[in-house]
Amino acid sequence: MTELLRVGFVGCGSHATMSIMPSLRFAPIELISVCDLDTERAEYAARVFGAKRIEPSYQSLVEKDDIDAVFVVGPSKMHTKVAIAAMQAGKHVFSEKPPGENLEAALEMQKVSRDTGRYCMIAFMKRFGTTYKKAKELMSEEFFGRPSQIMARYAHWHQNTLRDHLIYMSVHLIDLARFFMGDYVRLSAEKNVLDGQHSFSISARFASGAVGSIISSTQQPRVQERVEISGERALIVVDNIVNLEVHRSGCNGIDPGFKLSDIQIYRPDFSIPCPDQNSLWFQGYAGEIINFSEAILAGHAPSVTIDDGVAAMRVVDWLERGAEGALELESAGDNS
């Protein structure tokens, strides 16, 4: 019998029940218990997703001996307090992003993770999305060469506050650029504010020497997402998560002539009912949960941890404080 990771789930709201809980079935996971301040939501989640019991509080859930790990999906403050309580109770943690309301909260989670030896994964699911995973793989192939530049945009509808804009939405883009290019070492930014809505144009330099241009905005009517990654001999484009384009240098750059064979385009066919076409896989939810559960069962850290959460929140903190002056970092991964 395949070993299963026994989990408790704190937070049974719309995101949890639409995206995270439905993805549990793809992973080696047994859902033991659920908890929510709204009893009806907890009862619904337990019934639909097969939890064995409902706990009255997160405190009682994290203390149970038949749970190996805790999932927490809810408001940012809840992520911090539940994750800390779970790790202190000896449980590993899968926390939805952001890792708390601010950098201080993320650093507190990081310290508890280190002190207890418990792993804390932050759910930056875009890293596991079908096209983004493929783009990362292609970057390692010889035809691409060394990465030189990234241009990334994540624009969307209005947010109530600048903090909401950054911690719930743009933190995705901040982490995604680092996923592709490595640690930030220097950031500078220009901003525009219209009726309380912000747009940031961020210039980045990475530890590799590559550079980047990152656009973050709440001044568009719907989500617009695009990533372009340049290498020495190729360009990779992911447009609105769905379309992946690979542009290669014609004849290794010797012949400037244009050939259609130099361009490859991938688009999913959502009419085909298989995992690669399933939106839970395509957007990365299934992949992140598989990564977490398999890593914990194998006894090692998942590929995304609270250290990555802290690195992203350092940039969020700088932007929230106005991004006045450049943000210099020896390494965004240096979170001591």
Side-chain angles (χ1 to χ4, degrees):
M1 182 176 178
T2 302
E3 184 181 4
L4 298 177
L5 186 71
R6 303 170 301 172
V7 306
F9 208 108
V10 180
C12 302
S14 59
H15 178 59
T17 55
M18 273 198 315
S19 300
I20 307 302
M21 288 181 177
S23 299
L24 297 178
R25 70 183 187 273
F26 299 115
I29 280 176
E30 181 181 11
L31 182 59
I32 301 297
S33 60
V34 297
C35 171
D36 195 282
L37 292 174
D38 186 325
T39 303
E40 289 187 3
R41 291 198 305 200
E43 290 173 347
Y44 170 82
R47 182 172 67 253
V48 170
F49 300 106
K52 292 185 175 182
R53 64 173 181 265
I54 297 170
E55 290 291 343
S57 68
Y58 77 85
Q59 293 94 335
S60 64
L61 184 147
V62 303
E63 292 295 337
K64 292 297 188 292
D65 292 334
D66 61 349
I67 290 176
D68 306 307
V70 173
F71 279 62
V72 53
V73 181
S76 54
K77 282 186 177 180
M78 188 178 92
H79 296 165
T80 303
K81 67 181 181 181
V82 175
I84 287 174
M87 288 186 285
Q88 290 176 337
K91 310 300 192 291
H92 300 287
V93 172
F94 176 100
S95 172
E96 185 54 82
K97 57 81 189 161
E101 275 200 313
N102 49 41
L103 175 60
E104 289 72 24
L107 287 168
E108 186 179 4
M109 290 170 66
Q110 183 187 54
K111 183 178 186 303
V112 173
S113 177
R114 291 176 175 178
D115 289 347
T116 60
R118 301 295 92 183
Y119 297 123
C120 179
M121 181 174 184
I122 304 302
F124 288 129
M125 89 288 185
K126 291 187 182 295
R127 293 183 178 220
F128 301 91
T130 302
T131 49
Y132 286 138
K133 279 184 64 180
K134 186 60 178 177
K136 182 70 170 177
E137 292 169 6
L138 290 167
M139 289 175 67
S140 66
E141 295 190 12
E142 185 177 356
F143 80 89
F144 186 77
R146 290 170 296 183
S148 60
Q149 183 184 33
I150 186 169
M151 292 192 294
R153 177 186 61 171
Y154 190 61
H156 48 81
W157 50 80
H158 289 187
Q159 294 289 295
N160 292 328
T161 66
L162 172 59
R163 177 170 289 185
D164 285 353
H165 165 190
L166 296 172
I167 68 173
Y168 291 119
M169 304 296 281
S170 291
V171 71
H172 278 305
L173 184 67
I174 292 164
D175 177 72
L176 193 61
R178 181 172 171 265
F179 168 64
F180 284 123
M181 307 301 283
D183 285 342
Y184 297 107
V185 292
R186 188 177 192 276
L187 298 167
S188 60
E190 297 290 341
K191 65 180 177 180
N192 172 265
V193 185
L194 294 174
D195 298 325
Q197 300 300 315
H198 291 71
S199 288
F200 290 96
S201 177
I202 305 168
S203 294
R205 178 170 289 279
F206 300 89
S208 66
V211 296
S213 177
I214 300 169
I215 303 296
S216 161
S217 176
T218 61
Q219 296 173 351
Q220 293 199 10
R222 58 186 58 85
V223 172
Q224 297 293 317
E225 185 172 343
R226 184 178 176 89
V227 176
E228 300 181 10
I229 310 164
S230 299
E232 292 177 283
R233 296 177 294 276
L235 169 69
I236 299 171
V237 179
V238 180
D239 189 34
N240 277 328
I241 306 177
V242 175
N243 296 317
L244 172 65
E245 301 174 11
V246 183
H247 301 255
R248 302 168 187 254
S249 297
C251 295
N252 295 320
I254 298 172
D255 180 358
F258 171 76
K259 298 180 180 179
L260 288 176
S261 60
D262 295 333
I263 303 175
Q264 293 176 300
I265 297 175
Y266 166 79
R267 292 189 300 269
D269 184 351
F270 288 119
S271 66
I272 301 175
C274 63
D276 284 347
Q277 314 296 339
N278 185 304
S279 64
L280 294 175
W281 284 78
F282 206 80
Q283 294 183 33
Y285 295 115
E288 65 181 355
I289 292 170
I290 293 169
N291 181 273
F292 173 75
S293 56
E294 290 184 346
I296 300 305
L297 287 171
H300 61 75
S303 64
V304 188
T305 70
I306 184 59
D307 292 345
D308 299 292
V310 168
M313 292 300 285
R314 287 194 189 282
V315 181
V316 166
D317 177 72
W318 168 68
L319 290 170
E320 188 178 14
R321 289 186 285 106
E324 299 295 338
L327 177 64
E328 302 279 357
L329 298 164
E330 289 187 9
S331 167
D334 179 9
N335 299 307
S336 57

